[in-house]
Amino acid sequence: MVTGLWAMPDFAAHWMTLRTISSLTLAAWRFLPPLASLSPTNMLDPAGTPARSIFNLTWFVGGLVLGIFVVVGGLLTFIVLRYRGRATDDNIEPTQIYGSNQIELSWTVIPILLVFMLFLTTARVILGTERIPKPAGALDVAVIGHQFWWEYRYPSLGVVTANELHVPVSDPAHPTPTYLNTSSADVTHNFSVPRLAGRIDVIPNRVNTIWIDPQAAGLYLGQCAQYCGTQHAKMLLRVYADSPADFSAWIQHQQAPAADPSTLSPQQLEGKSVFEHNACANCHTVKGTSAQGKFGPDLTHMGSRDTLGSGAFANNRQNLHQWIDNPDSLKPGALMPPMHLNEKDLNAVTEYLTTLR
Amino acid sequence: MATTTAVDLTSQTKPKKLLLQVAHDWLTTVDHKKIGIMYIVYALVFLVIAGFMAMLIRIQLAVPNNHFLSPQVFNRLFTMHGTTMVFFVGMPILFGFGNYLIPLMIGARDMAFPRLNAFSFWISAFGGILLYYSYVGGSGLYGAGSAPDVSWWAYAPLTEKVFSPGHSTDYWTFSILLSGIGTTGTAINIVATILSMRCKGMTMTRLPLLPWIYLVTSFLVFVAVSPLTAAQIMITIDRYLGAHFFDTQAGGSAILWFHFFWIFGHPEVYILVMPAFGFMNEIIPVFSRKAIFGYPAMVAATVSIGFISLSVWAHHMFIDGLGAGGNIFFTAATMVISVPTGIKIFNWLATMWGGKIQFKTPMLFATGFLFQFLGAGLTGIVLSSAPMDWQLNNTYFVVAHFHYVLVGAILFALFAAFYYWYPKMTGRMLSERLGKWHFWLFVIGFHLTFDLMHVPGILGMPRRIYTYEAGRGWDSWNMLVSAGGFIQAIATVIFVVNMVWAFYRGRVAGPDPWDAWTLEWATTSPPPDYNFAVPPSISSRRPLWDLKHPEDVDSHYEY
């Protein structure tokens, strides 16, 4: 019969306690909110392949790290409690121990093995994400970072848009991933939509590519994650995953020219003229008009977007009016200058822009 | 005898000298102890300033859509906070302790090059002052001047003239350049001192671990600070002489800056954290009443951390499109560094094992260091895995991780060092009662702030944003994080009060208040000019142990 420290604990006696604790834990887990409701940018709620493979790795890495923490932290706690000096101690110094090669070898070799395990698992995920062949159905989109907004170009479809990226939902049986070829027009930005994939820096004079394959329709949020200047905080990202039918409808709409001038009211026509004869046209493009500027977002179909200012505020008449009048009041540090238009011109331009659906 | 000397030094010298004379003494000194103390005081002043900035940042982020600070003011605050903490708190405070302790611990009378030492101090201090002068330069005090707003890593091309007109970036560049010159000078001095000024009998295998660590760290400083200095000069040439090293508008490379910066930036982490290991190596044995466990392994681990830290910089660039090859290499290199670091932690645990641990304030902070450094190392392992980093880089998870290292480990080690060596520097003991208040409040505040800060990171909150919208699930976490920050601030105030109070009213320390074993405790507190009346001579790693235990001398056990 083994007694003392090496005796097996009496599991039967503790069974009831263990069962109570575990069922309470499970019950508590059930009351936790679903992961999706914690945050729309939660990396633990993946909605696409790259994000999901990182999510799977998270359990492995997290478990390993937590295990080490429990073992070493527990040991430290034990030492602190067991060897703390007491008032009743005598004045004799404890036995001096100078080292032990065997013991030190053991806490060198075991960590090396753990690191090796961790490394191999990680390498698999890196290769699985970065070295897989591009499927035939893949869509290419050029993502161009600007201070402080996003430009999206679909070279094969002839579509240019801004701030709201539309991509098709990818069915795992017939994957249609979207390859995002990122580059920057000015400083370094970062494209990051945590539920779809890991982030990638958007660097001038360089094309960095990541791929996403959202597997459920919906809106995925993110934002620029590389400090890029004054309004870094409101350089938000919106990725709309559309069903194949919705996506082709959206593409067709984007390919269409801007609103036909013959359908415009006199005030709207006046606004069009103000737009084309002021600095607006130096920075913005409206397809089919003389406005062909490249510095700011393409406005050909801006009315069909949900937000303005790269996701900073809702796209409605009142915000639009304020934005044209004084961009700084809605997004301090935005690079669009105040247009100094009189009230009549301001209203006319606002009316004109609402027709660009 | 020694006790009376200590009293004499504080009670007699002060009233007799005019303030002007005292100032002259300090401003012209080449004594390593005075320079060390000046480094420490200068770092503490900047610690308070940068800490105050941290509080403003936390007020702004406590609630979503806050209008307390404008984006530009906020961007300046986090830039100045980070730059100050790394270059004008971390580096000088560690060099301050090094300056003060190394000659004493190796039984020398001063540093190898006392004038270079004074030069290094003053040029670093000038760098710090120049950085803050930026607030009154440019458009003046009320317009907040030209304080830099490019973040502490100042990524080009954001720092190029096109995107950063005016002089804000120049203030950043020149102050870092000056502090870099000072740092390199000190590093040369420390290497020369340790290699050539050791007392009789102090072979390299009897060198205390703290000077050992400073030796490795100083080599690291040469290798790491030089690329940073080069990069500062290159960006200045870009800005003023029209070169295109980093000017992407003319075909320059942004990635080049990342490499330059991180070849400095990653070893820098070890430059900061290794002296903290050094403090632990001195404090843990004394308060456990045991010899350090595995001295040779500790030296080997230090040297290998030094080498490996030079090959891991690109783990800051996992999101820069290195490609699978680069990602795999730098993942492996980064993970490997956890092995020697682990050896150190286990050796400290083994030192405490079987001891009679005295939980005086220095040991409390040392224990806090051990817990938090364990946490910091483990979140570091998470980030070393490139795919995890793709999700977590530039989020508050990273902010939480490096504050775990810089505050949880380094600052705790520094607090431990303060409570441990303050009696040596001033001749007075810090209050244990205030020390315990300081410790417990700081521990609570620290964990409230930085444990919880990991969560918004996992929920996708990027760093360096001046505000965020509601509905992202970040609100309540940020509120609690801010509350924790303020508890830490209160604890720091207690610490400062303790130091000022103890300077005038603290219990007189005597030469060796902790019953310790290294040479700095073999002279008066504070030590006289030139440290030792008679240059010491030693025959083991713990000379004072041998004196106190002639029946059981240390040299029998060294290997």
Side-chain angles (χ1 to χ4, degrees):
Chain A
M1 179 74 189
V2 191
T3 53
L5 192 62
W6 303 104
M8 283 287 284
D10 185 357
F11 284 119
H14 296 300
W15 174 238
M16 286 303 288
T17 327
L18 280 175
R19 210 175 53 171
T20 316
I21 292 173
S22 60
S23 52
L24 278 176
T25 317
L26 279 178
W29 184 251
R30 229 171 287 141
F31 286 108
L32 281 180
L35 289 170
S37 75
L38 285 181
S39 168
T41 52
N42 184 0
M43 66 177 274
L44 301 179
D45 182 27
T49 309
R52 187 162 294 120
S53 62
I54 298 172
F55 174 74
N56 293 337
L57 183 66
T58 306
W59 292 116
F60 177 71
V61 176
L64 189 73
V65 158
L66 206 65
I68 299 173
F69 183 77
V70 168
V71 170
V72 183
L75 186 64
L76 179 55
T77 312
F78 171 77
I79 290 173
V80 164
L81 295 177
R82 170 67 183 78
Y83 296 110
R84 70 183 191 281
R86 293 173 175 82
T88 54
D89 281 352
D90 50 29
N91 282 326
I92 301 164
E93 304 273 19
T95 318
Q96 301 295 303
I97 304 163
Y98 295 84
S100 154
N101 286 338
Q102 288 85 347
I103 295 177
E104 288 175 77
L105 199 65
S106 75
W107 63 54
T108 310
V109 171
I110 296 171
I112 288 176
L113 294 176
L114 290 177
V115 160
F116 199 61
M117 211 162 76
L118 189 63
F119 167 70
L120 289 181
T121 319
T122 294
R124 270 177 75 108
V125 178
I126 294 175
L127 293 171
T129 312
E130 297 202 280
R131 289 268 171 93
I132 63 157
K134 193 173 179 175
L139 172 72
D140 270 289
V141 178
V143 174
I144 302 159
H146 293 262
Q147 279 180 324
F148 304 99
W149 60 281
W150 298 97
E151 180 179 353
Y152 301 113
R153 293 172 169 267
Y154 299 70
S156 56
L157 303 168
V159 167
V160 178
T161 182
N163 294 330
E164 294 180 0
L165 175 64
H166 285 254
V167 298
V169 164
S170 179
D171 172 6
H174 306 279
T176 49
T178 306
Y179 277 65
L180 304 171
N181 306 307
T182 71
S183 63
S184 168
D186 37 51
V187 303
T188 303
H189 302 278
N190 183 294
F191 185 94
S192 112
V193 182
R195 291 190 62 203
L196 296 181
R199 55 201 63 204
I200 189 79
D201 267 357
V202 174
I203 303 171
N205 296 347
R206 186 182 172 96
V207 177
N208 278 337
T209 300
I210 57 166
W211 56 278
I212 56 173
D213 62 342
Q215 281 156 9
L219 169 62
Y220 299 94
L221 298 178
Q223 69 190 84
C224 176
Q226 185 64 270
Y227 177 64
C228 57
T230 314
Q231 253 308 353
H232 163 58
K234 287 193 183 162
M235 186 168 165
L236 306 178
L237 277 156
R238 300 171 74 84
V239 177
Y240 293 76
D242 300 333
S243 68
D246 287 350
F247 183 70
S248 39
W250 181 81
I251 285 291
Q252 271 172 14
H253 180 75
Q254 296 294 311
Q255 284 167 335
D260 183 358
S262 63
T263 64
L264 299 180
S265 73
Q267 191 195 21
Q268 289 162 346
L269 272 175
E270 170 72 19
K272 181 172 186 288
S273 162
V274 172
F275 186 89
E276 287 169 15
H277 294 95
N278 277 285
C280 314
N282 295 348
C283 291
H284 295 286
T285 293
V286 178
K287 261 195 293 189
T289 73
S290 65
Q292 294 293 326
K294 300 287 178 218
F295 195 74
D298 188 306
L299 298 183
T300 312
H301 297 286
M302 63 157 285
S304 63
R305 296 178 201 148
D306 292 338
T307 60
L308 292 176
S310 197
F313 45 93
N315 184 4
N316 58 40
R317 195 171 257 116
Q318 187 201 340
N319 283 341
L320 188 57
H321 183 279
Q322 190 183 343
W323 174 251
I324 300 164
D325 188 34
N326 184 7
D328 238 39
S329 65
L330 281 169
K331 193 172 168 180
L335 295 187
M336 175 162 150
M339 295 315 297
H340 301 297
L341 298 174
N342 61 39
E343 193 56 31
K344 180 170 155 285
D345 287 353
L346 194 58
N347 287 331
V349 171
T350 310
E351 286 308 317
Y352 168 60
L353 290 179
T354 55
T355 66
L356 298 177
R357 295 204 58 81
Chain B
M1 258 319 283
T3 314
T4 27
T5 323
V7 175
D8 287 346
L9 280 171
T10 43
S11 60
Q12 285 182 4
T13 49
K14 245 182 279 159
K16 280 185 184 171
K17 281 194 175 174
L18 290 169
L19 188 65
L20 212 61
Q21 280 173 311
V22 176
H24 182 262
D25 263 10
W26 284 84
L27 291 178
T28 60
T29 188
V30 291
D31 175 37
H32 75 94
K33 298 185 290 297
K34 284 189 175 161
I35 291 174
I37 289 172
M38 286 197 292
Y39 262 121
I40 292 170
V41 170
Y42 138 66
L44 282 177
V45 170
F46 281 122
L47 175 75
V48 169
I49 296 173
F52 177 70
M53 292 178 156
M55 293 302 106
L56 294 178
I57 289 171
R58 284 320 315 174
I59 293 173
Q60 170 69 13
L61 293 178
V63 290
N65 294 317
N66 200 354
H67 294 290
F68 175 62
L69 300 173
S70 75
Q72 190 150 41
V73 169
F74 184 88
N75 295 347
R76 283 175 171 155
L77 281 176
F78 73 67
T79 302
M80 295 292 274
H81 169 79
T83 309
T84 308
M85 284 295 195
V86 171
F87 294 100
F88 302 107
V89 178
M91 302 279 267
I93 208 165
L94 296 167
F95 276 136
F97 274 101
N99 244 303
Y100 192 94
L101 293 172
I102 287 167
L104 284 166
M105 292 182 92
I106 64 173
R109 292 193 139 167
D110 206 326
M111 296 282 273
F113 308 115
R115 283 159 196 266
L116 173 64
N117 204 14
F119 168 78
S120 305
F121 168 75
W122 286 108
I123 198 160
S124 302
F126 183 64
I129 293 163
L130 182 68
L131 184 69
Y132 277 84
Y133 183 75
S134 65
Y135 265 112
V136 288
S139 51
L141 194 56
Y142 299 111
S146 297
D149 59 353
V150 288
S151 95
W152 88 279
W153 63 44
Y155 269 12
L158 185 62
T159 42
E160 288 288 349
K161 205 88 192 167
V162 205
F163 304 111
S164 180
H167 293 300
S168 60
T169 298
D170 303 319
Y171 279 108
W172 185 84
T173 311
F174 289 129
S175 51
I176 303 301
L177 191 62
L178 292 175
S179 99
I181 293 169
T183 309
T184 311
T186 307
I188 290 169
N189 215 341
I190 287 175
V191 169
T193 306
I194 293 172
L195 292 183
S196 64
M197 309 279 285
R198 300 190 307 279
C199 70
K200 192 156 171 286
M202 186 173 279
T203 57
M204 287 305 275
T205 54
R206 287 185 189 147
L207 187 66
L209 284 169
L210 185 133
W212 246 121
I213 277 177
Y214 269 94
L215 181 68
V216 174
T217 308
S218 300
F219 274 112
L220 219 48
V221 167
F222 304 146
V223 183
V225 174
S226 316
L228 179 71
T229 305
Q232 308 298 348
I233 294 170
M234 286 161 83
I235 189 85
T236 306
I237 294 176
D238 267 14
R239 284 173 63 86
Y240 287 99
L241 300 177
H244 309 304
F245 295 114
F246 313 115
D247 179 5
T248 48
Q249 303 287 302
S253 169
I255 289 274
L256 184 63
W257 176 269
F258 304 173
H259 280 299
F260 263 112
F261 188 83
W262 290 117
I263 282 173
F264 152 76
H266 199 83
E268 169 68 12
V269 175
Y270 290 90
I271 292 169
L272 292 173
V273 80
M274 293 231 282
F277 297 164
F279 301 151
M280 290 303 109
N281 288 333
E282 302 304 323
I283 291 167
I284 290 174
V286 168
F287 291 94
S288 306
R289 309 307 305 160
K290 298 245 335 269
I292 191 84
F293 187 92
Y295 173 98
M298 288 303 238
V299 173
T302 305
V303 174
S304 48
I305 290 175
F307 274 110
I308 305 169
S309 74
L310 294 170
S311 61
V312 299
W313 77 89
H315 68 215
H316 296 268
M317 297 164 61
F318 283 149
I319 52 166
D320 288 335
L322 296 175
N327 283 334
I328 287 175
F329 174 83
F330 285 103
T331 290
T334 307
M335 286 176 174
V336 163
I337 217 162
S338 64
V339 175
T341 315
I343 292 175
K344 278 177 177 286
I345 292 186
F346 286 120
N347 278 9
W348 288 323
L349 293 184
T351 305
M352 292 163 75
W353 185 279
K356 291 179 177 172
I357 307 169
Q358 304 168 344
F359 282 105
K360 302 216 171 103
T361 319
M363 191 60 190
L364 281 180
F365 277 102
T367 312
F369 167 94
L370 287 173
F371 270 108
Q372 285 135 209
F373 187 62
L374 176 64
L378 293 173
T379 48
I381 289 179
V382 171
L383 290 170
S384 73
S385 174
M388 302 293 295
D389 186 81
W390 294 338
Q391 281 290 20
L392 294 168
N393 193 317
N394 274 333
T395 67
Y396 265 78
F397 189 91
V398 170
V399 180
H401 160 72
F402 72 72
H403 280 90
Y404 240 80
V405 180
L406 295 169
V407 179
I410 300 175
L411 196 59
F412 269 67
L414 276 166
F415 284 141
F418 265 105
Y419 284 91
Y420 186 62
W421 281 294
Y422 188 88
K424 179 51 61 184
M425 294 178 180
T426 62
R428 305 274 189 168
M429 305 291 287
L430 286 165
S431 153
E432 279 285 307
R433 179 198 284 266
L434 285 179
K436 293 206 160 100
W437 273 100
H438 171 204
F439 173 75
W440 286 110
L441 274 179
F442 210 97
V443 164
I444 293 166
F446 172 84
H447 285 282
L448 188 55
T449 306
F450 298 113
D451 293 7
L452 298 185
M453 201 184 264
H454 290 92
V455 181
I458 291 168
L459 300 182
M461 177 172 167
R463 67 199 287 202
R464 298 184 175 134
I465 52 170
Y466 76 95
T467 191
Y468 53 92
E469 55 190 34
R472 292 280 172 114
W474 306 336
D475 321 10
S476 37
W477 301 106
N478 274 295
M479 178 57 94
L480 290 168
V481 164
S482 295
F486 278 93
I487 298 177
Q488 290 182 73
I490 295 168
T492 312
V493 170
I494 294 177
F495 168 64
V496 173
V497 167
N498 196 357
M499 286 209 299
V500 174
W501 174 85
F503 189 78
Y504 296 104
R505 293 281 142 82
R507 190 158 56 78
V508 173
D512 184 14
W514 308 115
D515 195 10
W517 303 311
T518 37
L519 281 178
E520 76 270 31
W521 306 105
T523 183
T524 55
S525 307
D529 286 351
Y530 300 110
N531 301 346
F532 302 95
V534 179
S537 147
I538 66 163
S539 55
S540 81
R541 283 182 201 138
R542 294 190 296 171
L544 270 64
W545 170 273
D546 294 357
L547 281 179
K548 292 166 189 171
H549 302 274
E551 76 293 348
D552 182 31
V553 292
D554 226 11
S555 46
H556 292 173
Y557 304 98
E558 283 172 10
Y559 66 101

